[in-house]
Amino acid sequence: MGKSNARVRNRLMLVAVGLLIAAICFAVFGFTHVISPVTAIGNTAGFLVTSLVVGFFALRK
């Protein structure tokens, strides 16, 4: 059972890190006006909140 929990925790942490990287990319793209700044703000906020939630569950697992 311990090995399964570690595997799930690792996957959740990878997802959280991936979402943080996506949030940074959207923030940069919005700042440089590659995409609409309004879209970038919404996507960045969504990715940050989701990564915080996933990271929280990864730490609790």
Side-chain angles (χ1 to χ4, degrees):
M1 209 43 126
K3 189 174 185 179
S4 177
N5 284 342
R7 187 176 299 138
V8 170
R9 184 181 319 156
N10 287 340
R11 287 182 181 167
L12 287 173
M13 288 304 283
L14 283 174
V15 169
V17 169
L19 288 170
L20 283 173
I21 291 171
I24 291 169
C25 289
F26 271 105
V28 169
F29 288 156
F31 184 72
T32 58
H33 297 287
V34 173
I35 60 174
S36 168
V38 174
T39 303
I41 290 169
N43 287 342
T44 301
F47 284 138
L48 285 176
V49 169
T50 306
S51 67
L52 286 174
V53 170
V54 170
F56 173 76
F57 284 118
L59 292 176
R60 288 189 45 115
K61 187 72 178 161

